[in-house]
Amino acid sequence: MDAQRRGRGEQMDPADQWVLNPNTGEYELRLNPSAAQSRTAPRTATARSATARSAAPRGGAPREGATRTDVPPQRRRRGAPEEPPPGRRGGRRPVQQKPNKAKKVLLWTGGTMAFVLVGVSAAGYFYLQHLEGNVSTTDVGSAGASNFSKDEAFSVLIIGTDKRTGEGNEGYGDKGSSGHADTTILLHVAKDRSNATALSIPRDLIVNIPDCPTKLEDGSEKVVPGIRGARFNRSLGEGDRDPGCTMRTVKENTGITVDHFMMADFNAVKTLTTAVDGVDVCVEKPVNDKESKLVLPAGESTVEGEQALAFVRTRKSFGNSGDLDRIKVQQQFLGSLMRKMSSGDTLTSPSKLLNLAEAATKALTVDQAIGRVSTLKDVALELKKVPTKNISFTTVPVVDNPAETVKATVVLDDSKAPQVFDMIENDVSFTDVKQQEKKEKDAQAARLKGTKAAASEVRVRIMNGGAVAGSAQKTLQYLQVEEGVTKSDNAGNAPAELARTTLEYAPDQADQARRLADIMGLSGSALKPGESVNNAQGLPAMTLTLGKDFKGAGVKLDAPVEKADVEKSTADKVKCAS
C-alpha cells in the first residue's frame, strides 16, 4: 500500500502518526514537511515512515503539498537498532533542524476532571484545532473570574449532573431531572502550588440559594429567584439555574471564592476511564448491588466504562447506604484516577493520550474564561505541580438536620465547617507541607528586616476593601488605643474589593510600613511600594486596605489558621471502600 493510501485509510490509528524522537525521548506528531525541507534534510527510515503516515488527515484528502513518498520499510521492533542504509557502513547521523514554527508540536494536558485533576498529552496544531471544537462553554457572568491566572491561587467547582443525556444513560439518575448538582467537588489549588484540597459538598446539604442572573439558550437574560433552606443539588438545573448559580451558592454558604467550573454528565466517567484502560479500585467485601448493577469481588479490581460509572453511583453496598458514604467512595475513585493519569503507563502511550484528549474535551462543559484548550492545558499543568501526597480529599463537615424526624438532609457543623472554609480560603493545607512552612518563615524574616518607626510616627489611612462591614472603624480603634498608632484615620470603603489585605507606601515611608506590618501581621507580599496620600490632617500617609482575608481587629493576618479536625484522605494513598 502506498504512502498516500495509508494516509487516507479510514481505519488508521491516530497513534500511528506519533514517532519517538531519539534526541528528546518524547513522542512527536510528525506533520508533512514542505518540499524545501525535504531537499535540505536527509530522512531516516523512521522519518520517511512518519511522513507517509501523516501525508493526509485521517479519513480526508491529502494535505496541500503532500507528495507520494517511498513505500515505508517494515517497522523495527522497539529498542532494536536501526539498520544503516545499503552501502554505507554504520550510517550517518541525521541532520538536526529547527522545527517549523507553523507545525511545531504543542504540548497540552487532558483528563477528567482530567483537565483539573492531572493529565498530559501532546498534539499538533491541527489536532488542537479539532479539540477546540469539542469543548462546550457557559457564560456565568460575574459568578466567576474573567480569566485564568497561572500566578494566583484558584478554585474550580467540579460538578457531576444526574441529567440522563448521552447514549446508554436512559436508566440512570432521576428520570425527570433537569440536571441537578448530584456530585460537587470544590478543588482549590494553593498559590505556591504546594498543596490542593478537593472539598466534597453533599447534595443533601441544606443551604440558601441566592438569586441567580442567567443567560438562556436564546440569548435572553433572566434572574432566577433564590430559595432559602433548600437542598444544595437544587442550585443547578431547576428553573434554568446554570453552573453560575451553583458557584454563587458555594460562595454564599462557605465564603470561598469560586473562579471557574467544570461540569460533566454520566458519560464523562465512562469515556475517561475507558480512555486510560480502566481505574484500579478496592473493596473490603464482595459487592453485588442490584440497583447500580455493580458486581466486584473483595480486594482490588480494575473498572472502566459502565462498571466505573456503577462504582461511583453505588450507595446501598457501602457504609450506611447514605450519600455521605458514597462521597468517600467517589473520593477514593478520583484519587485512583489521578494516579492512573500520572502513571508512566499513561504518560508514555500516545494512543492513551489521544483517547484521553478526545474524551476529556467532549465530556466537559466549562466557563468561558477557561473555554479554550490552551487554557485548560494551563489549568492542568498548574495542578500537575502539586505533589499527589499534598492533594487532600475531605467533605464539608455536617450534622443531621435537627428539623427532621426522619433524617434525610444535613446542615453545616458550625463547630468545624468555618475552620475548613478558612483553611481553604487561606491556602492552608490539610497535610503537612514543608514548602509552605518555609515560605511563612521567609516572609516573617523579610518583614522584620530593616529599621522600624515608632508606632506614634506611623501615619495611615484605613479602607475596607472586602472585609466585614465595620472592620475599618474597629481596626482604627484598635490601632489607636491598643498599639499607639494615633496618626491614623478611617477612609471608608475602597474603590474595589481585594482578596488580600495590602499596605501601600511611598519609598520614604518604608520604616513606617515595617512597623505597621509587624503590628498587623502582614507578609512581605502585602507591602506595595507606591505613593502616599494625604490623611485627615493633610499629612502624607500610607494606605491600609483590608481585604477579604482580614480576620478581625487585633488578629494578626499571619496568625496560623487552626487546622480543622476532619476526616481526610490523600491522592497518593490506596484505600478500600467498606
Side-chain angles (χ1 to χ4, degrees), residues 394-397 416-417 420 423 430 563-569:
T394 190
T395 304
V396 171
K416 295 182 179 180
V420 170
M423 287 176 66
F430 284 75
K563 289 195 174 185
D565 181 19
V566 293
E567 185 176 353
K568 61 183 181 294
S569 60

Side-chain angles (χ1 to χ4, degrees), residues 336-349:
S336 180
L337 180 58
M338 292 171 65
R339 292 191 297 273
K340 184 62 177 284
M341 288 180 176
S342 60
S343 70
D345 181 51
T346 300
L347 300 184
T348 59
S349 170

Side-chain angles (χ1 to χ4, degrees), residues 4-23:
Q4 288 184 335
R5 287 173 61 85
R6 283 174 59 86
R8 290 197 301 267
E10 292 293 337
Q11 302 303 319
M12 185 182 70
D13 187 344
D16 285 344
Q17 300 183 49
W18 295 83
V19 178
L20 181 65
N21 185 332
N23 298 316

Side-chain angles (χ1 to χ4, degrees), residues 276-297:
V276 295
D277 288 346
V279 174
D280 297 331
V281 298
C282 181
V283 293
E284 288 188 353
K285 57 185 179 181
V287 175
N288 188 355
D289 195 288
K290 294 181 179 179
E291 292 191 10
S292 69
K293 307 296 189 294
L294 178 68
V295 179
L296 288 177

Side-chain angles (χ1 to χ4, degrees), residues 6-275:
R6 283 174 59 86
R8 290 197 301 267
E10 292 293 337
Q11 302 303 319
M12 185 182 70
D13 187 344
D16 285 344
Q17 300 183 49
W18 295 83
V19 178
L20 181 65
N21 185 332
N23 298 316
T24 64
E26 297 179 355
Y27 284 93
E28 297 180 355
L29 181 64
R30 296 293 176 86
L31 302 178
N32 183 47
S34 64
Q37 289 174 314
S38 64
R39 285 195 299 268
T40 59
R43 291 178 297 165
T44 63
T46 305
R48 287 196 301 271
S49 178
T51 301
R53 289 192 293 274
S54 59
R58 182 178 180 178
R63 294 192 183 96
E64 184 178 351
T67 58
R68 183 184 179 96
T69 61
D70 298 329
V71 176
Q74 291 183 344
R75 277 190 204 167
R76 58 189 173 87
R77 298 189 309 276
R78 180 172 298 178
E82 184 176 359
E83 295 182 7
R88 184 178 298 168
R89 182 172 298 179
R92 181 188 302 172
R93 292 185 180 179
V95 177
Q96 295 187 11
Q97 306 176 81
K98 292 184 178 180
N100 184 312
K101 289 184 179 179
K103 298 175 180 178
K104 193 174 182 180
V105 173
L106 303 177
L107 297 178
W108 76 283
T109 307
T112 177
M113 298 172 187
F115 282 115
V116 187
L117 294 177
V118 298
V120 282
S121 184
Y125 173 76
F126 297 108
Y127 191 66
L128 262 180
Q129 294 299 100
H130 159 72
L131 293 176
E132 202 77 64
N134 288 347
V135 184
S136 300
T137 64
T138 297
D139 184 358
V140 297
S142 60
S146 58
N147 55 42
F148 175 72
S149 173
K150 293 188 285 186
D151 301 320
E152 298 294 335
F154 64 91
S155 293
V156 180
L157 195 65
I158 304 169
I159 307 170
T161 75
D162 59 1
K163 195 170 185 177
R164 306 193 313 171
T165 55
E167 183 178 352
N169 296 325
E170 297 83 2
Y172 299 134
D174 216 346
K175 185 174 182 180
S177 176
S178 54
H180 291 123
D182 191 55
T183 298
T184 307
I185 297 174
L186 178 65
L187 178 69
H188 178 81
V189 181
K191 181 176 180 178
D192 63 2
R193 310 301 186 243
S194 65
N195 68 92
T197 301
L199 178 70
S200 294
I201 303 175
R203 66 179 187 180
D204 297 325
L205 175 65
I206 297 299
V207 296
N208 292 328
I209 300 175
D211 294 345
C212 295
T214 61
K215 290 188 178 181
L216 305 181
E217 291 184 2
D218 61 5
S220 61
E221 299 182 12
K222 76 179 227 182
V223 176
V224 184
I227 314 173
R228 296 188 64 81
R231 292 182 192 233
F232 177 83
N233 67 343
R234 296 178 63 187
S235 64
L236 178 70
E238 205 171 281
D240 292 320
R241 290 190 178 90
D242 64 10
C245 295
T246 310
M247 295 168 72
R248 295 177 193 274
T249 301
V250 171
K251 173 67 175 177
E252 174 85 7
N253 292 273
T254 69
I256 301 172
T257 300
V258 183
D259 302 301
H260 308 286
F261 85 87
M262 293 185 178
M263 182 170 67
D265 58 18
F266 292 133
N267 273 346
V269 175
K270 294 194 290 187
T271 58
L272 289 167
T273 53
T274 300

Side-chain angles (χ1 to χ4, degrees), residues 324-466:
L324 294 179
D325 285 302
R326 183 176 69 160
I327 285 175
K328 295 177 184 177
V329 174
Q330 291 172 344
Q331 291 172 349
Q332 294 161 16
F333 177 85
L334 288 177
S336 180
L337 180 58
M338 292 171 65
R339 292 191 297 273
K340 184 62 177 284
M341 288 180 176
S342 60
S343 70
D345 181 51
T346 300
L347 300 184
T348 59
S349 170
S351 60
K352 287 184 182 179
L353 293 175
L354 284 175
N355 291 339
L356 192 55
E358 288 285 351
T361 51
K362 289 179 179 178
L364 296 173
T365 298
V366 302
D367 58 286
Q368 290 184 339
I370 57 173
R372 296 186 63 83
V373 170
S374 58
T375 309
L376 289 171
K377 172 263 299 181
D378 290 339
V379 175
L381 291 180
E382 290 306 307
L383 178 64
K384 191 171 181 289
K385 295 177 182 178
V386 183
T388 54
K389 67 179 182 179
N390 291 334
I391 300 178
S392 304
F393 291 95
T394 190
T395 304
V396 171
V398 296
V399 294
D400 288 336
N401 188 350
E404 294 177 334
T405 302
V406 178
K407 304 303 180 183
T409 61
V410 293
V411 296
L412 290 178
D413 182 348
D414 290 334
S415 68
K416 295 182 179 180
Q419 290 176 289
V420 170
F421 303 152
D422 197 27
M423 287 176 66
I424 293 175
E425 186 71 7
N426 288 282
D427 279 4
V428 177
S429 176
F430 284 75
T431 61
D432 294 326
V433 183
K434 293 181 179 179
Q435 181 180 347
Q436 182 170 305
E437 294 172 354
K438 181 179 183 299
K439 179 184 174 184
E440 292 171 353
K441 292 179 181 178
D442 290 345
Q444 179 84 359
R447 186 173 65 251
L448 297 176
K449 187 177 181 179
T451 59
K452 303 180 184 70
S456 60
E457 296 302 317
V458 173
R459 295 188 298 272
V460 61
R461 299 172 74 242
I462 306 166
M463 304 185 77
N464 192 330

